[in-house]
């Protein structure tokens, strides 16, 4: 499907739901001054067109005892990035893993309990035979989420 | 504070679908919807649930990839620079870092020109000494609960 332009109503729906996914369609409808059914249809369209992929809650990992967000930059032997990627995908605490163009071949973000876990995770990655090196960076404080969190066109 | 099974079920179910009704969660663990509602409010009050949000596919709204920026700044100015970076509209997350860089930022990018513009923009901020970028490939298929990428 080609990218469809979003109109005012779509953007209002997305912006409102970005702030609080549990906002009722009725409330959004009042805000836009149109019917609840229109909002419902638009919402379903946005899902159908894959603009909306799902919904989730944001939890504070520190409060749940998983305080450390860590990024690991990994250099691997050429041609092995897929197999290393697949192994990392199975690891505990993983938030994101991706191939990368730049200083590293793979970058992964983990949410880990403590410094010991960070060490174990780094060792585990370096134990993969095709991994050349793994650099660790630890996020300090609470990472900030952009209040605007990307603009819509 | 200790979370019990009810709290954990609420968190797990809402992580997967934040619009699910309290009634449905209640049915799953055989308690009343009011209990779920009370627990939900408590989890919010305690700051365990920070917010709820929609997961958007950036590829469908004109963005094509994610870039990770590593920024080095003059010592003692990292907070100041971080405050500026977080205001850039396509930033997903930014943080101070202990490691190779002083600051890290993950940004959704429209195209290579946009990437260059962002890099220059950050480079021109006062006290910024070095900006390194790396481009993430095929990240958007992964859906981390924390970052909402």
């Amino acid at each position: 499907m080609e990218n469809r332009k979003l109109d005012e109503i779509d953007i209002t729906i997305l912006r409102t739901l970005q702030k609080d996914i549990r906002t009722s369609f009725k409330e959004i409808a009042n805000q836009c001054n149109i019917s609840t059914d229109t909002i419902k249809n638009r919402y379903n369209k946005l899902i159908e067109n894959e603009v909306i992929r799902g919904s989730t809650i944001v939890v504070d990992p520190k409060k749940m005892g998983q305080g450390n967000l860590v990024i690991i930059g990994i250099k691997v032997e050429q041609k092995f990035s897929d197999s290393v990627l697949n192994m990392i995908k199975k690891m505990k605490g993983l938030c994101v893993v991706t191939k990368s163009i730049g200083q590293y071949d793979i970058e992964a973000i983990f949410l880990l309990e403590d410094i010991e876990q960070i060490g174990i995770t780094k060792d585990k990655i370096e134990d993969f035979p095709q991994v050349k090196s793994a650099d660790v960076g630890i996020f300090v404080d609470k990472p900030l989420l952009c209040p605007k969190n990307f603009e819509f066109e | 504070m200790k979370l019990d099974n009810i709290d954990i079920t609420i968190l797990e179910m809402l992580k997967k679908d934040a619009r699910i009704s309290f009634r449905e969660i209640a049915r799953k663990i055989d308690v009343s919807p009011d209990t779920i509602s009370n627990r939900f409010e408590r989890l919010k009050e305690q700051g365990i649930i920070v917010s709820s949000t929609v997961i958007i596919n950036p590829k469908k709204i004109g963005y094509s990839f994610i870039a990770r920026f590593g920024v080095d700044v003059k010592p003692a100015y990292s907070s100041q620079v971080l405050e500026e970076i977080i205001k850039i509209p396509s930033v997903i997350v930014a943080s101070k870092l202990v490691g190779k860089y002083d600051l890290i930022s993950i940004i959704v990018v429209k195209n290579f020109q946009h990437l260059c513009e962002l890099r220059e923009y950050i480079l021109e901020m006062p006290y910024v000494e070095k900006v390194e970028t790396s481009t993430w490939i095929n990240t958007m298929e992964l859906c981390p609960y924390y970052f909402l990428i």
Side-chain angles (χ1 to χ4, degrees):
Chain A
M1 198 212 70
E2 62 181 286
N3 288 351
R4 198 176 52 97
K5 274 261 176 249
L6 303 173
D7 69 6
E8 285 287 303
I9 301 171
D10 297 321
I11 291 173
T12 311
I13 295 174
L14 291 172
R15 280 258 173 265
T16 313
L17 294 180
Q18 253 188 333
K19 274 182 225 134
D20 181 5
I21 188 75
R22 298 190 76 92
T23 314
S24 68
F25 291 144
K26 200 173 160 197
E27 238 171 276
I28 305 174
N30 289 342
Q31 210 178 310
C32 301
N33 230 342
I34 48 176
S35 76
T36 309
D37 277 347
T38 310
I39 300 291
K40 211 171 181 175
N41 289 337
R42 287 302 190 94
Y43 176 77
N44 289 332
K45 257 261 142 62
L46 287 167
I47 291 178
E48 206 178 291
N49 293 337
E50 295 169 8
V51 174
I52 294 179
R53 236 182 14 190
S55 62
T56 192
I57 46 168
V58 182
V59 295
D60 184 346
K62 283 228 163 93
K63 295 246 159 99
M64 296 181 70
Q66 314 162 300
N68 296 286
L69 204 54
V70 175
I71 183 160
I72 305 185
I74 303 155
K75 288 184 193 162
V76 301
E77 302 278 355
Q78 271 182 34
K79 294 190 191 166
F80 285 104
S81 53
D82 279 313
S83 58
V84 173
L85 188 82
N86 284 329
M87 286 190 276
I88 291 174
K89 272 186 188 167
K90 291 176 204 145
M91 288 178 68
K92 231 181 93 189
L94 181 72
C95 297
V96 198
V97 62
T98 178
K99 283 203 240 179
S100 160
I101 304 176
Q103 203 179 355
Y104 304 106
D105 302 308
I106 292 177
E107 296 188 15
I109 294 174
F110 288 89
L111 196 54
L112 299 168
E113 279 161 37
D114 49 34
I115 298 287
E116 202 189 337
Q117 283 302 320
I118 297 173
I120 292 171
T121 305
K122 178 176 154 63
D123 285 349
K124 225 180 198 170
I125 292 174
E126 284 182 332
D127 276 347
F128 293 144
Q130 302 93 348
V131 169
K132 286 198 263 186
S133 69
D135 286 342
V136 174
I138 303 171
F139 285 65
V140 191
D141 300 331
K142 208 184 270 180
L144 299 176
L145 297 171
C146 179
K148 286 193 193 148
N149 208 317
F150 56 85
E151 279 172 339
F152 303 110
E153 310 236 299
Chain B
M1 76 129 222
K2 267 257 176 266
L3 297 177
D4 67 8
N5 269 340
I6 300 177
D7 297 318
I8 290 167
T9 310
I10 294 174
L11 290 172
E12 288 307 318
M13 288 183 82
L14 289 176
K15 268 187 188 176
K16 286 188 198 119
D17 176 6
R19 279 190 78 90
I20 200 168
S21 69
F22 291 152
R23 190 181 300 270
E24 215 168 306
I25 303 174
R27 207 177 299 144
K28 175 136 191 195
I29 38 180
D30 220 4
V31 293
S32 74
D34 279 346
T35 308
I36 303 293
S37 175
N38 291 338
R39 291 300 189 96
F40 177 76
E41 288 306 323
R42 202 174 78 184
L43 287 166
K44 276 211 299 200
E45 263 164 41
Q46 285 167 337
I48 292 172
I49 296 179
V50 183
S51 64
S52 64
T53 192
V54 63
I55 301 170
I56 292 162
N57 184 352
K59 278 192 175 160
K60 296 287 177 186
I61 53 168
Y63 291 93
S64 45
F65 56 89
I66 288 173
R68 192 266 301 146
F69 287 65
V71 183
D72 283 338
V73 299
K74 225 177 169 158
Y77 287 101
S78 57
S79 300
Q80 209 170 317
V81 175
L82 183 66
E83 260 171 52
E84 287 308 307
I85 290 178
I86 199 66
K87 285 183 202 149
I88 301 171
S90 52
V91 167
I92 299 173
V93 64
S95 173
K96 287 193 212 177
L97 195 74
V98 175
K100 230 178 170 117
Y101 318 103
D102 300 319
L103 299 174
I104 187 169
S105 180
I106 294 166
I107 305 183
V108 279
V109 180
K110 290 175 191 159
N111 48 44
F112 280 103
Q113 179 166 351
H114 185 212
L115 178 67
C116 293
E117 285 166 9
L118 286 167
R119 186 172 178 275
E120 305 241 307
Y121 181 75
I122 295 173
L123 256 179
E124 277 166 22
M125 287 176 180
Y127 313 116
V128 168
E129 289 180 339
K130 206 174 136 199
V131 177
E132 198 212 81
T133 65
S134 95
T135 306
W136 286 6
I137 311 161
N138 280 337
T139 322
M140 292 174 184
E141 69 192 48
L142 289 163
C143 171
Y145 291 131
Y146 193 68
F147 274 143
L148 319 176
I149 290 173

